[in-house]
Amino acid sequence: MTKKLLTIALTGLFSTTAFAADLYVRNGGAGGSYSTVSAAITAAADGDRIIIQPKTNGTAYVENLTINKSLTFVSETIYNRYFIQGTITINPAVGRVVNISGLSSGNFTIYNVVASGPTTGGRTTINLYNCYLNNVATNQANTTTNISGSTVSGGISFSHGRVTANKAQSISISSTATDTSPATTDIEVYGNKSDFGITHSQSNYNFKLYNNFCRGVFVYAIKTGSSNEIINNTIYDPYGGDVPPFFINLNNGNTGNIAIINNAASFVVGQTNVCIKNNNNATVTASYNLFTNPFVTDGAMTQSNNSGSVNMNFDNTNYTISGMNANAGNPDVSYTDLDLTRNDAGHYGGSNSWANYWPTDSGGKPQVNYLQTPRTISSGTLNITGSGFSK
């Protein structure tokens, strides 16, 4: 094997950004700072950073925010979140980038992070890192949402972006309209916990759903001619229902490919005992998937090396899986685990193993939010790409 170049890109979200100015928000406007976040936003210019002091005893800045500039929001106290009791509305604009780190929305379900406003003419990027949120509703057209290391007590609803290492009630990929300024990257949902599953129902992009722990994956729309992947997820549904854990039911008439590979699943049989269902249009390939249930499918699909009635143990408190999923995934080298052994079916297997992202705070160290590690190289350049953020 010849190695000509090894490139490792590991970047912090804020460390490489040049800010025009730092504006401080502190309780009571101490030290000549602003007393409210809204006042700081009004005074800020595009590219500024607003540094917010967490109030003593965890009390809140009680205000609704409208963000209509490219700004970055961070905590003044390392590893401590600032508490904003109010709805945060981000107005889309061409090239607008809004970074929010260390925000807590408290336990108020009516206060959410939303994108709202006209979306024509270019893309808006919203980055949410290390936050405690109620709901995220950024499924506007022409909007990219990158969210990582956050706890969302409700749902994450977004139209495009990268969603990694979050714990949420639900994750929904949808769009209020067709993008007029398409992004050049796929939708990526890696290493998350979702109580109610992951739902995909838009037709703008390819999607990749890797290494999530959830109750099911439900696909209602895809991009025509797209290639989509559902790989190394752990599906655990102790309640049962009328929808299979892998459910493809396209309602937009589009056709495309969906690969379902290396997943491990267990579900209580309710109105259906089907493991994978393809209701219409999609070209589905299912291989090396394991179920504790008898393996039953419904609809057209190409199948190989799937297994049912497999002995596996699931823990939806600690989000672990053990048993016969070990070394049971696709043996191809491109799916190998981080230790270069054969793929473990489920969310700890492969390059995007849950171990990349959890625990989210290991002694105050920076948090990885993306990692791409090709398994082989015979000649030329090996590129290892990753990114992270400081908590």
Side-chain angles (χ1 to χ4, degrees):
M1 179 177 71
T2 301
K3 291 186 179 179
K4 294 185 177 180
L5 176 66
L6 174 64
T7 302
I8 300 177
L10 183 61
T11 61
L13 174 63
F14 307 121
S15 61
T16 59
T17 305
F19 300 105
D22 286 342
L23 290 77
Y24 286 83
V25 178
R26 294 176 179 141
N27 190 21
S33 63
Y34 295 92
S35 60
T36 67
V37 181
S38 297
I41 292 173
T42 299
D46 281 333
D48 285 353
R49 182 170 62 173
I50 296 177
I51 302 173
I52 304 170
Q53 179 188 57
K55 290 188 177 182
T56 57
N57 301 319
T59 55
Y61 294 90
V62 182
E63 50 184 315
N64 295 317
L65 304 182
T66 297
I67 302 173
N68 53 10
K69 302 167 185 176
S70 290
L71 298 171
T72 291
F73 300 81
V74 298
S75 175
E76 185 176 14
T77 307
I78 191 168
Y79 309 131
N80 286 353
R81 296 189 179 107
Y82 50 91
F83 180 10
I84 296 177
Q85 183 180 326
T87 293
I88 298 175
T89 302
I90 299 168
N91 294 156
V94 178
R96 178 161 292 161
V97 178
V98 176
N99 303 312
I100 300 176
S101 177
L103 164 67
S104 172
S105 296
N107 295 312
F108 298 90
T109 58
I110 62 172
Y111 301 131
N112 306 307
V113 175
V114 301
S116 179
T119 60
T120 58
R123 298 197 68 77
T124 297
T125 300
I126 300 169
N127 298 314
L128 303 170
Y129 294 92
N130 183 31
C131 294
Y132 180 86
L133 307 170
N134 294 306
N135 292 283
V136 176
T138 56
N139 57 332
Q140 290 279 88
N142 302 327
T143 301
T144 292
T145 303
N146 303 310
I147 176 170
S148 185
S150 297
T151 297
V152 182
S153 58
I156 300 171
S157 179
F158 72 108
S159 58
H160 171 267
R162 181 180 293 154
V163 175
T164 61
N166 304 285
K167 292 181 179 179
Q169 191 174 68
S170 64
I171 298 175
S172 173
I173 306 154
S174 63
S175 183
T176 57
T178 301
D179 282 7
T180 57
S181 299
T184 58
T185 56
D186 298 335
I187 291 167
E188 297 171 308
V189 180
Y190 298 164
N192 301 278
K193 185 275 293 182
S194 176
D195 294 333
F196 293 162
I198 300 171
T199 302
H200 185 279
S201 56
Q202 63 116 301
S203 55
N204 292 314
Y205 303 99
N206 300 334
F207 65 80
K208 297 178 179 177
L209 312 180
Y210 293 173
N211 296 85
N212 300 287
F213 191 108
C214 61
R215 282 181 59 186
V217 176
F218 316 109
V219 180
Y220 297 106
I222 57 176
K223 177 182 177 181
T224 289
S226 59
S227 295
N228 308 288
E229 298 175 336
I230 303 170
I231 297 178
N232 269 115
N233 300 280
T234 295
I235 308 297
Y236 180 67
D237 184 358
Y239 305 105
D242 59 353
V243 177
F246 295 94
F247 183 51
I248 317 298
N249 186 27
L250 305 186
N251 55 27
N252 64 351
N254 290 357
T255 59
N257 301 310
I258 302 176
I260 304 174
I261 307 171
N262 297 343
N263 300 284
S266 180
F267 63 99
V268 170
V269 173
Q271 289 93 326
T272 180
N273 67 340
V274 172
C275 299
I276 305 174
K277 181 172 183 175
N278 179 22
N279 208 35
N280 53 3
N281 291 342
T283 300
V284 175
T285 301
S287 61
Y288 291 96
N289 299 291
L290 278 64
F291 291 81
T292 59
N293 308 66
F295 186 66
V296 178
T297 63
D298 185 0
M301 67 191 74
T302 301
Q303 303 179 41
S304 63
N305 299 290
N306 300 291
S307 300
S309 301
V310 174
N311 184 16
M312 296 180 287
N313 300 303
F314 297 76
D315 184 336
N316 65 342
T317 299
N318 297 307
Y319 312 113
T320 59
I321 178 175
S322 61
M324 295 178 66
N325 64 301
N327 298 319
N330 192 316
D332 187 273
V333 68
S334 60
Y335 297 104
T336 54
D337 291 341
L338 296 177
D339 62 1
L340 300 184
T341 60
R342 178 174 169 172
N343 182 277
D344 290 350
H347 64 304
Y348 275 97
S351 288
N352 280 282
S353 170
W354 183 275
N356 286 338
Y357 308 108
W358 300 94
T360 57
D361 187 358
S362 181
K365 298 175 183 177
Q367 171 66 32
V368 170
N369 62 0
Y370 180 70
L371 187 65
Q372 187 178 64
T373 55
R375 285 294 179 254
T376 61
I377 181 171
S378 56
S379 63
T381 301
L382 170 64
N383 290 311
I384 300 174
T385 302
S387 62
F389 62 95
S390 175
K391 299 175 72 66

